[in-house]
């Protein structure tokens, strides 16, 4: 039997190399001062889960452009769909005219969400924040109420409504006020750091009784609350999976008070968790409104806000977008869904990319847990599928961003592109075409990087 040796990162220059350094210099001079540049990497081209920079350095990608490049950087099936649609037409405007590819996409998204007997409808935008804005506008319009509840640690985007809902870092809000009125934040039930002195078993009840017994009695009348928006698995806040009972109990609370339940699936959705949407890991829960974006079209900009038929009651012309539902992006989404659900197979990834995410994700979590036994600075390993968070802690168990940053830099120096999240965590969010062998190469780099600390 011949063993196929998986590819490895190839670093030809120090990072950044001369060409990358020059582009970074020009970038610093002309681009917005708000852009972050965590690592000196300037991409030139991609191939599967490998990205090569402008100086010929090839890195293994464990971040997928913030959980976007579901099928890698230029999957032939997606590229073909994009060019075929571009040859037909690139834009007419979905607000005014139907277009077949976007109708196909709407039907396909609904088929992943609707239960028997339900109909859902879809509004298309271009970004996660736009989907979130649409969700909140619809919830207010439908209920005739104004207040919205969100969670601490959440991230919902950078537009005014979305930053108001975001609860992860104050830097997103400093100097930008006034924000949207009538928004409150409550703790997210993090089993590793339960709020209110609760335990992982009691934290869902603790959070929800805070909403019911404190917030609704002292701050906002429940019958003025339009929506509760929540990430079913929290992304930027640390890749956190809530306890099994949380979403079901939250659904019951919303039902008691006529509150729309919005699940923001922008980061955890689109197959990354091993199911199409992350809330589908929790039995018996169905939201009223869902937002999707990021990985939906493998990097082409498109987002979707889905709502149950009874909820999408806003009037003709009340909401729209010039580019939203662009046909080229919609074709890319259809091709991405082919690979996610296994209509089209990707060699080396089993029946579907969703199944691959589940299996390769389990392997990576096992490897991280093995490392955790050797390294006390790994406080927690959590996630589902290829949505994995690893939290770094100091000797007393407090979040330790310094050791996280050192680990992250050591991985990068060894050829592994990675991203942080939360206060002191690293997120593993690779393309879903990552094979078990490529994951093995990545985990060897992680082990070597941690050993160097
Ligand atoms: C859960 C969630 N919602 C919304 C957004 C905003 O998406 P976008 O940056 O496309 O506006 C993000 C982005 O990270 C996200 O993670």
């Amino acid at each position: 039997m011949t063993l196929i040796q998986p590819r490895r990162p190839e670093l030809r220059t120090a990072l950044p190399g001369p060409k990358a350094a020059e582009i970074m210099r020009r970038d610093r001079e002309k681009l917005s001062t708000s852009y972050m540049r965590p690592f000196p990497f300037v991409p030139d081209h991609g191939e599967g889960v490998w990205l090569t920079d402008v100086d010929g350095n090839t890195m293994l990608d464990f971040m997928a452009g913030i959980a976007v490049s579901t099928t890698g950087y230029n999957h032939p099936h997606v590229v073909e769909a994009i060019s075929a649609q571009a040859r037909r037409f690139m834009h007419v405007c979905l607000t005014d005219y139907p277009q077949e590819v976007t109708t196909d996409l709407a039907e396909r998204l609904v088929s992943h969400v609707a239960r028997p007997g339900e109909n859902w409808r879809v509004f298309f935008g271009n970004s996660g924040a736009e989907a979130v804005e649409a969700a909140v506008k619809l919830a207010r319009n439908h209920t005739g109420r104004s207040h919205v509840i969100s969670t601490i640690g959440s991230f919902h985007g950078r537009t005014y409504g979305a930053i108001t809902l975001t609860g992860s870092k104050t830097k997103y809000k400093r100097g930008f006020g006034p924000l949207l009125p009538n928004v409150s934040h409550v703790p997210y039930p993090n089993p590793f750091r339960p709020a209110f002195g609760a335990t992982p078993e009691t934290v869902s009840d603790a959070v929800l009784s805070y909403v019911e017994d404190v917030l609704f009695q002292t701050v906002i009348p429940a019958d003025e609350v339009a929506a509760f928006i929540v990430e079913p698995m929290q992304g930027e806040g640390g890749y956190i999976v809530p306890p099994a009972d949380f979403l079901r109990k939250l659904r019951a609370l919303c039902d008691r008070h006529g509150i729309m339940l919005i699940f923001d699936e922008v980061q955890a959705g689109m197959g990354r968790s091993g199911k199409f949407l992350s809330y589908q890991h929790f039995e018996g829960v169905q939201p009223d409104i869902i937002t999707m974006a990021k990985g939906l079209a493998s990097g082409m900009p498109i987002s979707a806000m889905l709502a149950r038929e009874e909820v999408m009651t806003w009037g003709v012309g009340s909401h729209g977008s010039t580019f939203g539902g662009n046909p080229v992006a919609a074709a890319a989404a259809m091709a991405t869904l082919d690979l996610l659900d296994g209509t089209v197979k990707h060699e080396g990834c089993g029946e579907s990319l969703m199944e691959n995410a589940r299996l390769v994700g389990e392997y990576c979590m096992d490897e991280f847990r093995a490392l955790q036994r050797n390294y006390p600075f790994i406080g927690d390993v959590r996630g589902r599928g290829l949505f994995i968070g690893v939290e770094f802690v100091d000797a007393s168990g407090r979040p330790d961003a310094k050791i996280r940053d050192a680990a992250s830099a050591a991985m990068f120096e060894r050829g592994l592109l990675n991203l942080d999240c939360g206060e002191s965590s690293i997120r593993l969010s690779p393309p879903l075409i990552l094979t078990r062998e490529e994951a093995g190469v990545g985990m060897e780099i992680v082990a070597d990087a941690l050993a160097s600390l």
Side-chain angles (χ1 to χ4, degrees):
M1 197 176 84
T2 43
L3 281 178
I4 299 168
Q5 289 298 324
R7 191 172 174 180
R8 294 187 165 267
E10 279 172 53
L11 300 180
R12 296 187 179 164
T13 67
L15 294 166
K19 209 166 165 193
E22 174 57 10
I23 294 170
M24 291 183 76
R25 184 193 64 74
R26 289 166 48 209
D27 171 269
R28 272 195 299 274
E29 221 169 85
K30 289 289 183 299
L31 275 90
S32 163
T33 49
S34 59
Y35 288 123
M36 301 182 295
R37 297 287 182 253
F39 293 116
F41 184 78
V42 181
D44 179 76
H45 62 274
E47 191 186 342
V49 293
W50 302 89
L51 268 181
T52 301
D53 83 352
V54 287
D55 294 293
N57 298 299
T58 298
M59 312 275 286
L60 176 56
D61 171 27
F62 265 22
M63 54 107 198
I66 323 191
V68 169
S69 306
T70 320
T71 61
Y73 288 86
N74 46 10
H75 196 287
H77 183 59
V78 181
V79 171
E80 180 45 39
I82 290 170
S83 60
Q85 180 58 44
R87 281 193 296 272
R88 294 176 63 205
F89 69 102
M90 287 191 265
H91 172 83
V92 172
C93 188
L94 183 64
T95 302
D96 293 328
Y97 302 98
Q99 45 200 33
E100 189 173 9
V101 65
T102 319
T103 310
D104 291 343
L105 179 59
E107 286 174 352
R108 196 153 174 191
L109 293 178
V110 167
S111 76
H112 280 286
V113 164
R115 291 172 167 178
E118 280 181 355
N119 188 33
W120 286 61
R121 292 177 180 274
V122 188
F123 174 84
F124 286 104
N126 305 281
S127 65
E130 280 179 59
V132 166
E133 296 286 339
V136 170
K137 280 180 73 177
L138 177 66
R140 283 181 159 185
N141 189 271
H142 174 69
T143 58
R145 305 171 176 188
S146 66
H147 217 103
V148 182
I149 301 174
S150 182
T151 56
I152 291 170
S154 65
F155 187 86
H156 297 290
R158 310 279 196 149
T159 51
Y160 263 103
I163 45 167
T164 311
L165 299 167
T166 289
S168 52
K169 293 189 179 102
T170 48
K171 75 172 174 191
Y172 301 139
K173 303 186 184 191
R174 178 169 290 122
F176 291 120
L179 304 178
L180 207 65
N182 295 1
V183 172
S184 305
H185 289 82
V186 301
Y188 192 85
N190 177 353
F192 185 60
R193 298 192 181 282
F196 304 115
T199 65
E201 291 72 35
T202 60
V203 68
S204 300
D205 288 331
V207 168
L208 294 173
S209 74
Y210 173 75
V211 175
E212 187 82 69
D213 303 330
V214 180
L215 213 58
F216 288 169
Q217 306 309 319
T218 59
V219 184
I220 346 154
D223 62 5
E224 291 185 10
V225 178
F228 194 120
I229 182 166
V230 67
E231 295 162 87
M233 293 185 194
Q234 200 175 64
E236 301 289 325
Y239 274 41
I240 298 164
V241 180
D245 61 341
F246 177 63
L247 296 177
R248 187 170 36 83
K249 289 177 173 168
L250 175 60
R251 173 76 270 182
L253 178 139
C254 289
D255 285 344
R256 278 198 296 282
H257 300 288
I259 296 168
M260 296 292 103
L261 180 56
I262 304 172
F263 283 169
D264 183 347
E265 289 277 0
V266 167
Q267 185 139 185
M270 283 61 70
R272 174 156 299 284
S273 71
K275 296 206 185 242
F276 184 63
L277 295 173
S278 65
Y279 83 85
Q280 292 166 338
H281 287 276
F282 303 92
E283 291 209 346
V285 184
Q286 187 76 325
D288 301 297
I289 301 174
I290 300 171
T291 56
M292 305 179 195
K294 283 196 183 282
L296 183 53
S298 296
M300 292 295 283
I302 191 166
S303 65
M305 184 276 287
L306 282 74
R308 286 192 297 109
E309 166 120 78
E310 309 75 67
V311 172
M312 202 174 278
T313 49
W314 52 16
V316 174
S318 59
H319 195 54
S321 159
T322 299
F323 291 123
N326 171 274
V328 180
M334 287 294 279
T336 302
L337 290 170
D338 286 343
L339 289 150
L340 279 180
D341 66 20
T343 308
V344 171
K345 306 269 183 287
H346 180 83
E347 204 188 323
C349 289
E351 285 305 302
S352 70
L353 294 191
M354 276 196 265
E355 181 196 274
N356 189 59
R358 209 159 41 240
L359 297 176
V360 178
E362 268 166 31
Y363 160 76
C364 292
M365 294 251 285
D366 287 347
E367 292 292 298
F368 269 116
R369 290 204 169 111
L371 290 169
Q372 189 180 18
R373 287 193 282 278
N374 289 340
Y375 297 112
F377 55 70
I378 299 185
D380 194 29
V381 177
R382 58 203 173 218
R384 291 277 190 289
L386 286 170
F387 178 95
I388 298 173
V390 179
E391 182 164 332
F392 290 75
V393 296
D394 65 16
S396 53
R398 280 191 294 265
D400 188 341
K402 270 205 188 115
I403 185 103
R404 184 271 313 274
D405 292 346
S408 173
M411 290 176 204
F412 176 77
E413 283 156 16
R414 286 163 177 74
L416 190 69
L417 286 167
N418 66 91
L419 264 186
D420 63 13
C421 64
E423 209 178 327
S424 66
S425 299
I426 283 178
R427 69 183 106 177
L428 199 78
S429 59
L432 308 187
I433 54 169
L434 183 77
T435 63
R436 161 70 183 72
E437 290 73 27
E438 289 164 335
V441 171
M443 291 310 304
E444 272 176 38
I445 298 174
V446 170
D448 189 45
L450 296 185
S452 77
L453 295 181

